[in-house]
Coordinates of all heavy atoms in Angstrom, one line a residue:
L170 N 135.5 -115.9 229.3 CA 134.3 -116.5 228.6 C 134.2 -118.0 228.8 O 135.2 -118.6 228.8 CB 134.4 -116.2 227.1 CG 134.3 -114.7 226.7 CD1 134.4 -114.5 225.3 CD2 132.9 -114.1 227.2
V171 N 133.0 -118.5 228.9 CA 132.8 -119.9 229.1 C 131.7 -120.3 228.2 O 130.7 -119.6 228.0 CB 132.4 -120.2 230.6 CG1 132.2 -121.7 230.9 CG2 133.3 -119.6 231.7
S172 N 131.8 -121.5 227.6 CA 130.6 -122.0 226.9 C 130.3 -123.4 227.5 O 129.3 -123.5 228.2 CB 130.7 -122.1 225.4 OG 131.9 -122.7 225.0
T173 N 131.2 -124.4 227.4 CA 130.9 -125.7 228.0 C 131.5 -125.8 229.5 O 131.0 -126.6 230.2 CB 131.5 -126.8 227.1 OG1 132.9 -126.7 227.1 CG2 130.9 -126.8 225.7
G174 N 132.5 -125.1 229.7 CA 133.2 -125.2 231.0 C 134.4 -126.1 231.0 O 135.2 -126.3 231.9
A175 N 134.6 -126.8 229.7 CA 135.7 -127.8 229.6 C 137.1 -127.2 229.8 O 138.0 -127.8 230.4 CB 135.6 -128.4 228.2
T176 N 137.2 -125.9 229.3 CA 138.6 -125.3 229.4 C 138.9 -124.9 230.9 O 140.0 -125.1 231.4 CB 138.6 -124.0 228.6 OG1 138.2 -124.3 227.3 CG2 140.0 -123.3 228.6
L177 N 137.8 -124.6 231.6 CA 138.0 -124.3 233.0 C 138.5 -125.5 233.8 O 139.5 -125.5 234.4 CB 136.7 -123.7 233.6 CG 136.3 -122.4 233.2 CD1 135.0 -122.0 234.0 CD2 137.4 -121.3 233.4
E178 N 137.7 -126.6 233.5 CA 138.0 -127.8 234.2 C 139.4 -128.4 233.8 O 140.1 -128.8 234.8 CB 137.0 -128.9 233.7 CG 136.9 -130.0 234.7 CD 135.8 -131.2 234.1 OE1 134.8 -130.7 233.6 OE2 136.1 -132.3 234.4
A179 N 139.9 -128.2 232.6 CA 141.1 -128.6 232.2 C 142.2 -127.8 232.9 O 143.4 -128.2 233.0 CB 141.3 -128.6 230.7
N180 N 141.9 -126.6 233.4 CA 142.9 -125.9 234.1 C 142.6 -125.7 235.6 O 143.2 -124.9 236.2 CB 142.9 -124.4 233.5 CG 143.6 -124.4 232.1 OD1 144.7 -124.4 232.0 ND2 142.7 -124.4 231.0
G181 N 141.9 -126.8 236.1 CA 141.7 -126.9 237.5 C 140.9 -125.7 238.1 O 141.2 -125.2 239.2
L182 N 140.0 -125.1 237.4 CA 139.2 -124.0 237.8 C 137.7 -124.3 237.9 O 137.2 -125.3 237.2 CB 139.4 -122.9 236.8 CG 140.8 -122.3 236.6 CD1 140.9 -121.4 235.5 CD2 141.2 -121.5 237.8
R183 N 137.1 -123.6 238.9 CA 135.6 -123.8 239.0 C 134.9 -122.5 238.7 O 135.2 -121.4 239.3 CB 135.4 -124.2 240.5 CG 134.0 -124.4 240.9 CD 134.0 -125.3 242.1 NE 134.6 -124.7 243.3 CZ 134.0 -124.1 244.3 NH1 132.6 -124.1 244.3 NH2 134.6 -123.5 245.3
E184 N 133.8 -122.6 238.0 CA 133.0 -121.5 237.6 C 132.2 -121.1 238.8 O 131.4 -122.0 239.4 CB 132.0 -121.7 236.4 CG 131.2 -120.6 236.0 CD 130.4 -121.0 234.8 OE1 130.3 -122.1 234.3 OE2 129.8 -120.0 234.2
V185 N 132.2 -119.9 239.4 CA 131.5 -119.6 240.6 C 130.4 -118.5 240.5 O 129.5 -118.3 241.3 CB 132.4 -119.2 241.8 CG1 133.2 -120.4 242.2 CG2 133.4 -118.1 241.4
E186 N 130.6 -117.6 239.4 CA 129.6 -116.5 239.2 C 129.5 -116.1 237.8 O 130.6 -116.0 237.2 CB 130.2 -115.4 240.0 CG 129.3 -114.4 240.6 CD 128.8 -114.7 242.0 OE1 129.6 -115.4 242.8 OE2 127.6 -114.3 242.3
V187 N 128.2 -116.0 237.2 CA 128.2 -115.6 235.8 C 128.0 -114.1 236.0 O 127.1 -113.6 236.6 CB 126.9 -116.2 235.2 CG1 126.8 -115.7 233.8 CG2 127.1 -117.7 235.1
I188 N 128.8 -113.3 235.3 CA 128.7 -111.9 235.3 C 127.9 -111.2 234.1 O 127.5 -110.1 234.1 CB 129.9 -111.1 235.8 CG1 130.9 -111.0 234.6 CG2 130.6 -111.8 236.9 CD1 131.9 -110.0 234.8
F189 N 128.0 -112.0 233.0 CA 127.3 -111.4 231.8 C 126.9 -112.7 230.8 O 127.8 -113.4 230.5 CB 128.3 -110.6 231.1 CG 127.7 -109.7 229.9 CD1 127.1 -108.6 230.1 CD2 128.0 -110.0 228.7 CE1 126.5 -107.8 229.1 CE2 127.5 -109.3 227.5 CZ 126.8 -108.2 227.8
F190 N 125.8 -112.6 230.4 CA 125.4 -113.6 229.3 C 125.4 -113.0 228.0 O 125.0 -111.9 227.8 CB 123.9 -114.0 229.5 CG 123.8 -115.0 230.8 CD1 123.3 -114.5 232.0 CD2 124.1 -116.4 230.7 CE1 123.2 -115.3 233.1 CE2 123.9 -117.2 231.8 CZ 123.5 -116.6 233.0
S191 N 125.9 -113.6 227.0 CA 126.2 -113.1 225.7 C 125.8 -113.9 224.5 O 125.9 -115.1 224.5 CB 127.7 -112.8 225.5 OG 128.0 -112.1 224.5
K192 N 125.4 -113.3 223.5 CA 125.2 -113.9 222.2 C 125.7 -113.0 221.1 O 126.0 -111.8 221.3 CB 123.7 -114.0 221.9 CG 122.9 -115.1 222.7 CD 121.5 -114.9 222.1 CE 120.7 -116.2 222.7 NZ 119.4 -116.2 222.1

Side-chain angles (χ1 to χ4, degrees):
L170 294 176
V171 184
S172 51
T173 62
T176 308
L177 293 183
E178 201 182 323
N180 285 283
L182 299 166
R183 177 163 62 107
E184 184 178 6
V185 289
E186 208 91 31
V187 178
I188 77 164
F189 188 80
F190 287 96
S191 184
K192 281 182 171 189

